Structure formats: structure tokens, C-alpha cells
PDB file of all heavy atoms in Angstrom:
ATOM      1  N   ILE A 270       2.414  -4.976  11.318  1.00 95.00           N
ATOM      2  CA  ILE A 270       2.813  -5.864  10.226  1.00 95.00           C
ATOM      3  C   ILE A 270       2.208  -7.234  10.462  1.00 95.00           C
ATOM      4  O   ILE A 270       2.342  -7.789  11.563  1.00 95.00           O
ATOM      5  CB  ILE A 270       4.334  -5.960  10.144  1.00 95.00           C
ATOM      6  CG1 ILE A 270       4.946  -4.569   9.948  1.00 95.00           C
ATOM      7  CG2 ILE A 270       4.745  -6.881   9.003  1.00 95.00           C
ATOM      8  CD1 ILE A 270       6.468  -4.564  10.019  1.00 95.00           C
ATOM      9  N   ALA A 271       1.567  -7.755   9.420  1.00 92.00           N
ATOM     10  CA  ALA A 271       0.938  -9.066   9.526  1.00 92.00           C
ATOM     11  C   ALA A 271       1.611 -10.055   8.579  1.00 92.00           C
ATOM     12  O   ALA A 271       1.981  -9.699   7.467  1.00 92.00           O
ATOM     13  CB  ALA A 271      -0.547  -8.956   9.191  1.00 92.00           C
ATOM     14  N   SER A 272       1.747 -11.261   9.026  1.00 88.00           N
ATOM     15  CA  SER A 272       2.346 -12.300   8.202  1.00 88.00           C
ATOM     16  C   SER A 272       1.510 -13.562   8.299  1.00 88.00           C
ATOM     17  O   SER A 272       0.817 -13.784   9.290  1.00 88.00           O
ATOM     18  CB  SER A 272       3.780 -12.585   8.640  1.00 88.00           C
ATOM     19  OG  SER A 272       3.796 -13.019   9.981  1.00 88.00           O
ATOM     20  N   GLY A 273       1.602 -14.395   7.247  1.00 79.00           N
ATOM     21  CA  GLY A 273       0.840 -15.632   7.303  1.00 79.00           C
ATOM     22  C   GLY A 273       0.311 -16.102   5.965  1.00 79.00           C
ATOM     23  O   GLY A 273      -0.357 -17.132   5.915  1.00 79.00           O
ATOM     24  N   GLY A 274       0.600 -15.346   4.891  1.00 72.00           N
ATOM     25  CA  GLY A 274       0.191 -15.809   3.569  1.00 72.00           C
ATOM     26  C   GLY A 274      -1.292 -15.761   3.330  1.00 72.00           C
ATOM     27  O   GLY A 274      -1.926 -16.796   3.077  1.00 72.00           O
ATOM     28  N   PHE A 275      -1.883 -14.570   3.396  1.00 82.00           N
ATOM     29  CA  PHE A 275      -3.312 -14.418   3.232  1.00 82.00           C
ATOM     30  C   PHE A 275      -3.601 -13.057   2.604  1.00 82.00           C
ATOM     31  O   PHE A 275      -2.715 -12.218   2.504  1.00 82.00           O
ATOM     32  CB  PHE A 275      -3.995 -14.476   4.610  1.00 82.00           C
ATOM     33  CG  PHE A 275      -3.307 -13.599   5.616  1.00 82.00           C
ATOM     34  CD1 PHE A 275      -3.612 -12.252   5.716  1.00 82.00           C
ATOM     35  CD2 PHE A 275      -2.307 -14.104   6.433  1.00 82.00           C
ATOM     36  CE1 PHE A 275      -2.944 -11.434   6.603  1.00 82.00           C
ATOM     37  CE2 PHE A 275      -1.634 -13.288   7.332  1.00 82.00           C
ATOM     38  CZ  PHE A 275      -1.960 -11.958   7.418  1.00 82.00           C
ATOM     39  N   ALA A 276      -4.833 -12.854   2.181  1.00 87.00           N
ATOM     40  CA  ALA A 276      -5.232 -11.558   1.640  1.00 87.00           C
ATOM     41  C   ALA A 276      -5.765 -10.690   2.764  1.00 87.00           C
ATOM     42  O   ALA A 276      -6.499 -11.163   3.633  1.00 87.00           O
ATOM     43  CB  ALA A 276      -6.312 -11.753   0.581  1.00 87.00           C
ATOM     44  N   VAL A 277      -5.382  -9.418   2.737  1.00 89.00           N
ATOM     45  CA  VAL A 277      -5.841  -8.470   3.750  1.00 89.00           C
ATOM     46  C   VAL A 277      -6.790  -7.474   3.115  1.00 89.00           C
ATOM     47  O   VAL A 277      -6.483  -6.910   2.068  1.00 89.00           O
ATOM     48  CB  VAL A 277      -4.652  -7.726   4.395  1.00 89.00           C
ATOM     49  CG1 VAL A 277      -5.163  -6.729   5.448  1.00 89.00           C
ATOM     50  CG2 VAL A 277      -3.701  -8.715   5.051  1.00 89.00           C
ATOM     51  N   TYR A 278      -7.914  -7.267   3.711  1.00 93.00           N
ATOM     52  CA  TYR A 278      -8.911  -6.344   3.188  1.00 93.00           C
ATOM     53  C   TYR A 278      -8.851  -5.038   3.979  1.00 93.00           C
ATOM     54  O   TYR A 278      -7.893  -4.292   3.868  1.00 93.00           O
ATOM     55  CB  TYR A 278     -10.284  -6.998   3.214  1.00 93.00           C
ATOM     56  CG  TYR A 278     -10.293  -8.355   2.545  1.00 93.00           C
ATOM     57  CD1 TYR A 278     -10.821  -9.484   3.186  1.00 93.00           C
ATOM     58  CD2 TYR A 278      -9.743  -8.533   1.279  1.00 93.00           C
ATOM     59  CE1 TYR A 278     -10.810 -10.727   2.581  1.00 93.00           C
ATOM     60  CE2 TYR A 278      -9.730  -9.785   0.667  1.00 93.00           C
ATOM     61  CZ  TYR A 278     -10.269 -10.871   1.326  1.00 93.00           C
ATOM     62  OH  TYR A 278     -10.246 -12.106   0.729  1.00 93.00           O
ATOM     63  N   ASP A 279      -9.838  -4.749   4.800  1.00 95.00           N
ATOM     64  CA  ASP A 279      -9.790  -3.522   5.592  1.00 95.00           C
ATOM     65  C   ASP A 279      -8.736  -3.620   6.696  1.00 95.00           C
ATOM     66  O   ASP A 279      -8.523  -4.688   7.270  1.00 95.00           O
ATOM     67  CB  ASP A 279     -11.151  -3.247   6.242  1.00 95.00           C
ATOM     68  CG  ASP A 279     -12.159  -2.713   5.256  1.00 95.00           C
ATOM     69  OD1 ASP A 279     -11.803  -2.508   4.071  1.00 95.00           O
ATOM     70  OD2 ASP A 279     -13.315  -2.500   5.659  1.00 95.00           O
ATOM     71  N   MET A 280      -8.097  -2.483   6.971  1.00 96.00           N
ATOM     72  CA  MET A 280      -7.123  -2.388   8.054  1.00 96.00           C
ATOM     73  C   MET A 280      -7.513  -1.183   8.895  1.00 96.00           C
ATOM     74  O   MET A 280      -7.935  -0.155   8.342  1.00 96.00           O
ATOM     75  CB  MET A 280      -5.711  -2.226   7.492  1.00 96.00           C
ATOM     76  CG  MET A 280      -5.346  -3.254   6.428  1.00 96.00           C
ATOM     77  SD  MET A 280      -3.729  -2.947   5.678  1.00 96.00           S
ATOM     78  CE  MET A 280      -2.682  -3.886   6.801  1.00 96.00           C
ATOM     79  N   ALA A 281      -7.369  -1.301  10.193  1.00 98.00           N
ATOM     80  CA  ALA A 281      -7.824  -0.215  11.057  1.00 98.00           C
ATOM     81  C   ALA A 281      -6.980  -0.148  12.328  1.00 98.00           C
ATOM     82  O   ALA A 281      -6.309  -1.116  12.701  1.00 98.00           O
ATOM     83  CB  ALA A 281      -9.300  -0.402  11.433  1.00 98.00           C
ATOM     84  N   TRP A 282      -7.015   1.015  12.944  1.00 98.00           N
ATOM     85  CA  TRP A 282      -6.438   1.217  14.272  1.00 98.00           C
ATOM     86  C   TRP A 282      -7.579   1.584  15.228  1.00 98.00           C
ATOM     87  O   TRP A 282      -8.412   2.450  14.916  1.00 98.00           O
ATOM     88  CB  TRP A 282      -5.399   2.328  14.255  1.00 98.00           C
ATOM     89  CG  TRP A 282      -4.100   1.928  13.646  1.00 98.00           C
ATOM     90  CD1 TRP A 282      -3.685   2.128  12.367  1.00 98.00           C
ATOM     91  CD2 TRP A 282      -3.025   1.244  14.316  1.00 98.00           C
ATOM     92  NE1 TRP A 282      -2.430   1.605  12.181  1.00 98.00           N
ATOM     93  CE2 TRP A 282      -1.999   1.051  13.360  1.00 98.00           C
ATOM     94  CE3 TRP A 282      -2.831   0.765  15.609  1.00 98.00           C
ATOM     95  CZ2 TRP A 282      -0.798   0.425  13.670  1.00 98.00           C
ATOM     96  CZ3 TRP A 282      -1.647   0.134  15.919  1.00 98.00           C
ATOM     97  CH2 TRP A 282      -0.639  -0.027  14.957  1.00 98.00           C
ATOM     98  N   TYR A 283      -7.557   0.927  16.371  1.00 98.00           N
ATOM     99  CA  TYR A 283      -8.481   1.235  17.453  1.00 98.00           C
ATOM    100  C   TYR A 283      -7.650   1.656  18.666  1.00 98.00           C
ATOM    101  O   TYR A 283      -6.442   1.421  18.732  1.00 98.00           O
ATOM    102  CB  TYR A 283      -9.308   0.006  17.843  1.00 98.00           C
ATOM    103  CG  TYR A 283     -10.405  -0.346  16.872  1.00 98.00           C
ATOM    104  CD1 TYR A 283     -10.110  -0.962  15.659  1.00 98.00           C
ATOM    105  CD2 TYR A 283     -11.736  -0.078  17.168  1.00 98.00           C
ATOM    106  CE1 TYR A 283     -11.135  -1.293  14.757  1.00 98.00           C
ATOM    107  CE2 TYR A 283     -12.757  -0.402  16.286  1.00 98.00           C
ATOM    108  CZ  TYR A 283     -12.437  -1.009  15.089  1.00 98.00           C
ATOM    109  OH  TYR A 283     -13.442  -1.329  14.206  1.00 98.00           O
ATOM    110  N   ARG A 284      -8.301   2.278  19.624  1.00 98.00           N
ATOM    111  CA  ARG A 284      -7.616   2.600  20.871  1.00 98.00           C
ATOM    112  C   ARG A 284      -8.575   2.447  22.040  1.00 98.00           C
ATOM    113  O   ARG A 284      -9.796   2.580  21.884  1.00 98.00           O
ATOM    114  CB  ARG A 284      -7.033   4.012  20.834  1.00 98.00           C
ATOM    115  CG  ARG A 284      -8.075   5.132  20.864  1.00 98.00           C
ATOM    116  CD  ARG A 284      -7.393   6.497  20.754  1.00 98.00           C
ATOM    117  NE  ARG A 284      -8.357   7.600  20.784  1.00 98.00           N
ATOM    118  CZ  ARG A 284      -8.041   8.863  20.569  1.00 98.00           C
ATOM    119  NH1 ARG A 284      -6.770   9.217  20.309  1.00 98.00           N
ATOM    120  NH2 ARG A 284      -8.979   9.802  20.611  1.00 98.00           N
ATOM    121  N   GLN A 285      -7.986   2.174  23.178  1.00 98.00           N
ATOM    122  CA  GLN A 285      -8.749   2.128  24.413  1.00 98.00           C
ATOM    123  C   GLN A 285      -8.088   3.057  25.411  1.00 98.00           C
ATOM    124  O   GLN A 285      -6.974   2.778  25.882  1.00 98.00           O
ATOM    125  CB  GLN A 285      -8.850   0.714  24.974  1.00 98.00           C
ATOM    126  CG  GLN A 285      -9.777   0.618  26.175  1.00 98.00           C
ATOM    127  CD  GLN A 285     -10.188  -0.796  26.485  1.00 98.00           C
ATOM    128  OE1 GLN A 285      -9.546  -1.747  26.070  1.00 98.00           O
ATOM    129  NE2 GLN A 285     -11.274  -0.946  27.228  1.00 98.00           N
ATOM    130  N   ARG A 286      -8.752   4.158  25.683  1.00 96.00           N
ATOM    131  CA  ARG A 286      -8.238   5.125  26.645  1.00 96.00           C
ATOM    132  C   ARG A 286      -8.588   4.667  28.057  1.00 96.00           C
ATOM    133  O   ARG A 286      -9.540   3.910  28.247  1.00 96.00           O
ATOM    134  CB  ARG A 286      -8.822   6.498  26.346  1.00 96.00           C
ATOM    135  CG  ARG A 286      -8.357   7.055  25.006  1.00 96.00           C
ATOM    136  CD  ARG A 286      -8.853   8.455  24.764  1.00 96.00           C
ATOM    137  NE  ARG A 286     -10.242   8.469  24.308  1.00 96.00           N
ATOM    138  CZ  ARG A 286     -10.892   9.570  23.997  1.00 96.00           C
ATOM    139  NH1 ARG A 286     -10.310  10.749  24.116  1.00 96.00           N
ATOM    140  NH2 ARG A 286     -12.146   9.509  23.590  1.00 96.00           N
ATOM    141  N   PRO A 287      -7.834   5.118  29.062  1.00 93.00           N
ATOM    142  CA  PRO A 287      -8.101   4.694  30.446  1.00 93.00           C
ATOM    143  C   PRO A 287      -9.551   4.957  30.853  1.00 93.00           C
ATOM    144  O   PRO A 287     -10.053   6.067  30.705  1.00 93.00           O
ATOM    145  CB  PRO A 287      -7.132   5.549  31.257  1.00 93.00           C
ATOM    146  CG  PRO A 287      -6.009   5.849  30.311  1.00 93.00           C
ATOM    147  CD  PRO A 287      -6.660   5.999  28.966  1.00 93.00           C
ATOM    148  N   GLY A 288     -10.208   3.914  31.315  1.00 94.00           N
ATOM    149  CA  GLY A 288     -11.576   4.046  31.771  1.00 94.00           C
ATOM    150  C   GLY A 288     -12.618   4.168  30.685  1.00 94.00           C
ATOM    151  O   GLY A 288     -13.798   4.422  30.974  1.00 94.00           O
ATOM    152  N   LYS A 289     -12.204   3.975  29.423  1.00 96.00           N
ATOM    153  CA  LYS A 289     -13.132   4.127  28.297  1.00 96.00           C
ATOM    154  C   LYS A 289     -13.235   2.821  27.512  1.00 96.00           C
ATOM    155  O   LYS A 289     -12.393   1.938  27.633  1.00 96.00           O
ATOM    156  CB  LYS A 289     -12.646   5.237  27.349  1.00 96.00           C
ATOM    157  CG  LYS A 289     -12.432   6.587  27.997  1.00 96.00           C
ATOM    158  CD  LYS A 289     -13.745   7.262  28.323  1.00 96.00           C
ATOM    159  CE  LYS A 289     -13.518   8.688  28.797  1.00 96.00           C
ATOM    160  NZ  LYS A 289     -14.790   9.366  29.125  1.00 96.00           N
ATOM    161  N   GLN A 290     -14.283   2.728  26.683  1.00 97.00           N
ATOM    162  CA  GLN A 290     -14.404   1.581  25.792  1.00 97.00           C
ATOM    163  C   GLN A 290     -13.504   1.772  24.574  1.00 97.00           C
ATOM    164  O   GLN A 290     -13.134   2.891  24.226  1.00 97.00           O
ATOM    165  CB  GLN A 290     -15.866   1.432  25.347  1.00 97.00           C
ATOM    166  CG  GLN A 290     -16.815   0.984  26.445  1.00 97.00           C
ATOM    167  CD  GLN A 290     -18.187   0.653  25.926  1.00 97.00           C
ATOM    168  OE1 GLN A 290     -18.633   1.197  24.916  1.00 97.00           O
ATOM    169  NE2 GLN A 290     -18.868  -0.263  26.598  1.00 97.00           N
ATOM    170  N   ARG A 291     -13.182   0.665  23.961  1.00 97.00           N
ATOM    171  CA  ARG A 291     -12.361   0.728  22.748  1.00 97.00           C
ATOM    172  C   ARG A 291     -13.113   1.480  21.657  1.00 97.00           C
ATOM    173  O   ARG A 291     -14.329   1.292  21.493  1.00 97.00           O
ATOM    174  CB  ARG A 291     -12.004  -0.676  22.287  1.00 97.00           C
ATOM    175  CG  ARG A 291     -11.048  -0.715  21.100  1.00 97.00           C
ATOM    176  CD  ARG A 291     -10.420  -2.082  20.956  1.00 97.00           C
ATOM    177  NE  ARG A 291     -11.409  -3.125  20.796  1.00 97.00           N
ATOM    178  CZ  ARG A 291     -11.115  -4.431  20.857  1.00 97.00           C
ATOM    179  NH1 ARG A 291      -9.879  -4.814  21.073  1.00 97.00           N
ATOM    180  NH2 ARG A 291     -12.072  -5.327  20.693  1.00 97.00           N
ATOM    181  N   GLU A 292     -12.393   2.289  20.902  1.00 98.00           N
ATOM    182  CA  GLU A 292     -13.012   3.101  19.855  1.00 98.00           C
ATOM    183  C   GLU A 292     -12.183   3.055  18.580  1.00 98.00           C
ATOM    184  O   GLU A 292     -10.959   2.898  18.623  1.00 98.00           O
ATOM    185  CB  GLU A 292     -13.135   4.562  20.318  1.00 98.00           C
ATOM    186  CG  GLU A 292     -11.814   5.214  20.663  1.00 98.00           C
ATOM    187  CD  GLU A 292     -11.951   6.641  21.152  1.00 98.00           C
ATOM    188  OE1 GLU A 292     -13.063   7.211  21.095  1.00 98.00           O
ATOM    189  OE2 GLU A 292     -10.934   7.204  21.604  1.00 98.00           O
ATOM    190  N   LEU A 293     -12.858   3.214  17.465  1.00 98.00           N
ATOM    191  CA  LEU A 293     -12.177   3.274  16.185  1.00 98.00           C
ATOM    192  C   LEU A 293     -11.443   4.591  16.061  1.00 98.00           C
ATOM    193  O   LEU A 293     -12.011   5.655  16.305  1.00 98.00           O
ATOM    194  CB  LEU A 293     -13.181   3.135  15.047  1.00 98.00           C
ATOM    195  CG  LEU A 293     -12.621   3.301  13.634  1.00 98.00           C
ATOM    196  CD1 LEU A 293     -11.691   2.148  13.291  1.00 98.00           C
ATOM    197  CD2 LEU A 293     -13.749   3.399  12.624  1.00 98.00           C
ATOM    198  N   VAL A 294     -10.187   4.530  15.651  1.00 98.00           N
ATOM    199  CA  VAL A 294      -9.389   5.725  15.410  1.00 98.00           C
ATOM    200  C   VAL A 294      -9.378   6.053  13.919  1.00 98.00           C
ATOM    201  O   VAL A 294      -9.669   7.171  13.505  1.00 98.00           O
ATOM    202  CB  VAL A 294      -7.948   5.552  15.908  1.00 98.00           C
ATOM    203  CG1 VAL A 294      -7.107   6.783  15.573  1.00 98.00           C
ATOM    204  CG2 VAL A 294      -7.924   5.281  17.404  1.00 98.00           C
ATOM    205  N   ALA A 295      -9.039   5.044  13.098  1.00 98.00           N
ATOM    206  CA  ALA A 295      -8.960   5.261  11.654  1.00 98.00           C
ATOM    207  C   ALA A 295      -9.050   3.918  10.952  1.00 98.00           C
ATOM    208  O   ALA A 295      -8.625   2.897  11.491  1.00 98.00           O
ATOM    209  CB  ALA A 295      -7.649   5.960  11.283  1.00 98.00           C
ATOM    210  N   ARG A 296      -9.604   3.958   9.743  1.00 98.00           N
ATOM    211  CA  ARG A 296      -9.742   2.741   8.942  1.00 98.00           C
ATOM    212  C   ARG A 296      -9.323   3.064   7.517  1.00 98.00           C
ATOM    213  O   ARG A 296      -9.559   4.165   7.018  1.00 98.00           O
ATOM    214  CB  ARG A 296     -11.180   2.241   8.956  1.00 98.00           C
ATOM    215  CG  ARG A 296     -11.421   1.032   8.075  1.00 98.00           C
ATOM    216  CD  ARG A 296     -12.875   0.635   8.043  1.00 98.00           C
ATOM    217  NE  ARG A 296     -13.301   0.014   9.295  1.00 98.00           N
ATOM    218  CZ  ARG A 296     -14.238   0.524  10.085  1.00 98.00           C
ATOM    219  NH1 ARG A 296     -14.870   1.631   9.750  1.00 98.00           N
ATOM    220  NH2 ARG A 296     -14.563  -0.095  11.201  1.00 98.00           N
ATOM    221  N   ILE A 297      -8.723   2.057   6.850  1.00 98.00           N
ATOM    222  CA  ILE A 297      -8.354   2.217   5.447  1.00 98.00           C
ATOM    223  C   ILE A 297      -8.769   0.967   4.697  1.00 98.00           C
ATOM    224  O   ILE A 297      -8.474  -0.157   5.115  1.00 98.00           O
ATOM    225  CB  ILE A 297      -6.845   2.517   5.297  1.00 98.00           C
ATOM    226  CG1 ILE A 297      -6.490   2.784   3.831  1.00 98.00           C
ATOM    227  CG2 ILE A 297      -5.970   1.426   5.892  1.00 98.00           C
ATOM    228  CD1 ILE A 297      -5.105   3.415   3.662  1.00 98.00           C
ATOM    229  N   GLY A 298      -9.463   1.161   3.578  1.00 95.00           N
ATOM    230  CA  GLY A 298      -9.941   0.048   2.786  1.00 95.00           C
ATOM    231  C   GLY A 298      -8.943  -0.389   1.731  1.00 95.00           C
ATOM    232  O   GLY A 298      -7.850   0.183   1.597  1.00 95.00           O
ATOM    233  N   THR A 299      -9.319  -1.396   0.969  1.00 91.00           N
ATOM    234  CA  THR A 299      -8.424  -1.924  -0.053  1.00 91.00           C
ATOM    235  C   THR A 299      -8.150  -0.908  -1.155  1.00 91.00           C
ATOM    236  O   THR A 299      -7.100  -0.963  -1.791  1.00 91.00           O
ATOM    237  CB  THR A 299      -9.010  -3.190  -0.678  1.00 91.00           C
ATOM    238  OG1 THR A 299     -10.343  -2.911  -1.129  1.00 91.00           O
ATOM    239  CG2 THR A 299      -9.051  -4.325   0.338  1.00 91.00           C
ATOM    240  N   GLU A 300      -9.089  -0.002  -1.403  1.00 91.00           N
ATOM    241  CA  GLU A 300      -8.893   1.062  -2.397  1.00 91.00           C
ATOM    242  C   GLU A 300      -8.305   2.311  -1.749  1.00 91.00           C
ATOM    243  O   GLU A 300      -8.308   3.384  -2.363  1.00 91.00           O
ATOM    244  CB  GLU A 300     -10.232   1.396  -3.069  1.00 91.00           C
ATOM    245  CG  GLU A 300     -10.895   0.218  -3.769  1.00 91.00           C
ATOM    246  CD  GLU A 300     -10.040  -0.337  -4.891  1.00 91.00           C
ATOM    247  OE1 GLU A 300      -9.386   0.473  -5.594  1.00 91.00           O
ATOM    248  OE2 GLU A 300     -10.012  -1.569  -5.066  1.00 91.00           O
ATOM    249  N   GLU A 301      -7.835   2.161  -0.516  1.00 92.00           N
ATOM    250  CA  GLU A 301      -7.208   3.242   0.255  1.00 92.00           C
ATOM    251  C   GLU A 301      -8.181   4.366   0.597  1.00 92.00           C
ATOM    252  O   GLU A 301      -7.752   5.490   0.857  1.00 92.00           O
ATOM    253  CB  GLU A 301      -5.955   3.762  -0.443  1.00 92.00           C
ATOM    254  CG  GLU A 301      -4.924   2.664  -0.673  1.00 92.00           C
ATOM    255  CD  GLU A 301      -3.508   3.172  -0.841  1.00 92.00           C
ATOM    256  OE1 GLU A 301      -3.264   4.359  -0.593  1.00 92.00           O
ATOM    257  OE2 GLU A 301      -2.646   2.369  -1.232  1.00 92.00           O
ATOM    258  N   THR A 302      -9.462   4.063   0.601  1.00 95.00           N
ATOM    259  CA  THR A 302     -10.414   5.023   1.174  1.00 95.00           C
ATOM    260  C   THR A 302     -10.240   4.997   2.683  1.00 95.00           C
ATOM    261  O   THR A 302      -9.979   3.939   3.283  1.00 95.00           O
ATOM    262  CB  THR A 302     -11.853   4.653   0.810  1.00 95.00           C
ATOM    263  OG1 THR A 302     -12.102   3.299   1.211  1.00 95.00           O
ATOM    264  CG2 THR A 302     -12.090   4.776  -0.676  1.00 95.00           C
ATOM    265  N   THR A 303     -10.351   6.147   3.294  1.00 97.00           N
ATOM    266  CA  THR A 303     -10.082   6.252   4.725  1.00 97.00           C
ATOM    267  C   THR A 303     -11.243   6.917   5.455  1.00 97.00           C
ATOM    268  O   THR A 303     -12.006   7.689   4.873  1.00 97.00           O
ATOM    269  CB  THR A 303      -8.811   7.077   4.987  1.00 97.00           C
ATOM    270  OG1 THR A 303      -8.982   8.384   4.430  1.00 97.00           O
ATOM    271  CG2 THR A 303      -7.590   6.414   4.371  1.00 97.00           C
ATOM    272  N   ASN A 304     -11.359   6.602   6.736  1.00 97.00           N
ATOM    273  CA  ASN A 304     -12.238   7.374   7.598  1.00 97.00           C
ATOM    274  C   ASN A 304     -11.595   7.462   8.980  1.00 97.00           C
ATOM    275  O   ASN A 304     -10.825   6.572   9.373  1.00 97.00           O
ATOM    276  CB  ASN A 304     -13.654   6.807   7.664  1.00 97.00           C
ATOM    277  CG  ASN A 304     -13.721   5.404   8.195  1.00 97.00           C
ATOM    278  OD1 ASN A 304     -13.367   4.450   7.518  1.00 97.00           O
ATOM    279  ND2 ASN A 304     -14.169   5.275   9.436  1.00 97.00           N
ATOM    280  N   TYR A 305     -11.891   8.558   9.651  1.00 98.00           N
ATOM    281  CA  TYR A 305     -11.242   8.880  10.918  1.00 98.00           C
ATOM    282  C   TYR A 305     -12.279   9.268  11.971  1.00 98.00           C
ATOM    283  O   TYR A 305     -13.338   9.817  11.656  1.00 98.00           O
ATOM    284  CB  TYR A 305     -10.300  10.074  10.738  1.00 98.00           C
ATOM    285  CG  TYR A 305      -9.125   9.827   9.832  1.00 98.00           C
ATOM    286  CD1 TYR A 305      -9.207  10.078   8.461  1.00 98.00           C
ATOM    287  CD2 TYR A 305      -7.919   9.333  10.337  1.00 98.00           C
ATOM    288  CE1 TYR A 305      -8.123   9.850   7.618  1.00 98.00           C
ATOM    289  CE2 TYR A 305      -6.840   9.103   9.513  1.00 98.00           C
ATOM    290  CZ  TYR A 305      -6.950   9.366   8.149  1.00 98.00           C
ATOM    291  OH  TYR A 305      -5.871   9.130   7.325  1.00 98.00           O
ATOM    292  N   ALA A 306     -11.920   9.004  13.204  1.00 98.00           N
ATOM    293  CA  ALA A 306     -12.703   9.542  14.307  1.00 98.00           C
ATOM    294  C   ALA A 306     -12.591  11.067  14.280  1.00 98.00           C
ATOM    295  O   ALA A 306     -11.533  11.606  13.939  1.00 98.00           O
ATOM    296  CB  ALA A 306     -12.189   9.001  15.639  1.00 98.00           C
ATOM    297  N   ASP A 307     -13.658  11.745  14.643  1.00 98.00           N
ATOM    298  CA  ASP A 307     -13.638  13.211  14.619  1.00 98.00           C
ATOM    299  C   ASP A 307     -12.513  13.776  15.482  1.00 98.00           C
ATOM    300  O   ASP A 307     -11.916  14.801  15.149  1.00 98.00           O
ATOM    301  CB  ASP A 307     -14.979  13.765  15.111  1.00 98.00           C
ATOM    302  CG  ASP A 307     -16.101  13.564  14.107  1.00 98.00           C
ATOM    303  OD1 ASP A 307     -15.803  13.323  12.912  1.00 98.00           O
ATOM    304  OD2 ASP A 307     -17.275  13.636  14.513  1.00 98.00           O
ATOM    305  N   SER A 308     -12.201  13.090  16.565  1.00 97.00           N
ATOM    306  CA  SER A 308     -11.217  13.594  17.514  1.00 97.00           C
ATOM    307  C   SER A 308      -9.796  13.588  16.967  1.00 97.00           C
ATOM    308  O   SER A 308      -8.917  14.250  17.527  1.00 97.00           O
ATOM    309  CB  SER A 308     -11.262  12.772  18.804  1.00 97.00           C
ATOM    310  OG  SER A 308     -11.025  11.400  18.534  1.00 97.00           O
ATOM    311  N   VAL A 309      -9.549  12.857  15.871  1.00 98.00           N
ATOM    312  CA  VAL A 309      -8.185  12.784  15.337  1.00 98.00           C
ATOM    313  C   VAL A 309      -8.069  13.353  13.927  1.00 98.00           C
ATOM    314  O   VAL A 309      -6.965  13.416  13.374  1.00 98.00           O
ATOM    315  CB  VAL A 309      -7.650  11.334  15.360  1.00 98.00           C
ATOM    316  CG1 VAL A 309      -7.783  10.722  16.754  1.00 98.00           C
ATOM    317  CG2 VAL A 309      -8.341  10.471  14.308  1.00 98.00           C
ATOM    318  N   LYS A 310      -9.165  13.764  13.335  1.00 98.00           N
ATOM    319  CA  LYS A 310      -9.122  14.301  11.972  1.00 98.00           C
ATOM    320  C   LYS A 310      -8.183  15.497  11.897  1.00 98.00           C
ATOM    321  O   LYS A 310      -8.207  16.373  12.753  1.00 98.00           O
ATOM    322  CB  LYS A 310     -10.525  14.720  11.532  1.00 98.00           C
ATOM    323  CG  LYS A 310     -11.411  13.568  11.113  1.00 98.00           C
ATOM    324  CD  LYS A 310     -12.783  14.055  10.676  1.00 98.00           C
ATOM    325  CE  LYS A 310     -13.680  12.896  10.289  1.00 98.00           C
ATOM    326  NZ  LYS A 310     -15.057  13.344   9.943  1.00 98.00           N
ATOM    327  N   GLY A 311      -7.349  15.473  10.860  1.00 98.00           N
ATOM    328  CA  GLY A 311      -6.403  16.556  10.668  1.00 98.00           C
ATOM    329  C   GLY A 311      -5.116  16.387  11.437  1.00 98.00           C
ATOM    330  O   GLY A 311      -4.157  17.134  11.230  1.00 98.00           O
ATOM    331  N   ARG A 312      -5.079  15.409  12.344  1.00 98.00           N
ATOM    332  CA  ARG A 312      -3.862  15.189  13.137  1.00 98.00           C
ATOM    333  C   ARG A 312      -3.239  13.817  12.846  1.00 98.00           C
ATOM    334  O   ARG A 312      -2.023  13.680  12.863  1.00 98.00           O
ATOM    335  CB  ARG A 312      -4.179  15.288  14.631  1.00 98.00           C
ATOM    336  CG  ARG A 312      -4.739  16.625  15.059  1.00 98.00           C
ATOM    337  CD  ARG A 312      -4.846  16.714  16.590  1.00 98.00           C
ATOM    338  NE  ARG A 312      -5.752  15.722  17.153  1.00 98.00           N
ATOM    339  CZ  ARG A 312      -5.385  14.824  18.064  1.00 98.00           C
ATOM    340  NH1 ARG A 312      -4.139  14.781  18.506  1.00 98.00           N
ATOM    341  NH2 ARG A 312      -6.287  13.973  18.545  1.00 98.00           N
TER     342      ARG A 312
END
């Protein structure tokens, strides 16, 4: 949840697994278009 009186465009979740670089998990645009990492698709 974000607060501060502003417009929000793209929103996304990233993760950093132990010993790994941060990676994109999922993103959702203003029109609710989504994309997912292959490793989480369907889950």
C-alpha cells in the first residue's frame, strides 16, 4: 500500500532469493495488463 497523494502507473513485485540477484516476479500496468516470470506463471 502506497500513500502520499500521487498518481501510480506500473506496479510490480520483485524478489531476491538467497544468493541470487533481484528478479521481476510480476508486473501490472495501468490498464491491468500483466506479465509474469516463467517460474511463477499459473501459480
Side-chain angles (χ1 to χ4, degrees):
I270 302 173
S272 60
F275 47 85
V277 180
Y278 308 129
D279 284 358
M280 310 175 89
W282 284 96
Y283 285 76
R284 70 183 180 187
Q285 187 164 20
R286 294 184 280 182
K289 304 287 188 180
Q290 290 189 332
R291 185 163 58 191
E292 60 181 352
L293 175 68
V294 177
R296 176 184 287 118
I297 184 166
T299 53
E300 301 299 322
E301 302 203 10
T302 55
T303 59
N304 60 286
Y305 295 90
D307 288 342
S308 58
V309 307
K310 282 181 181 176
R312 300 188 298 122

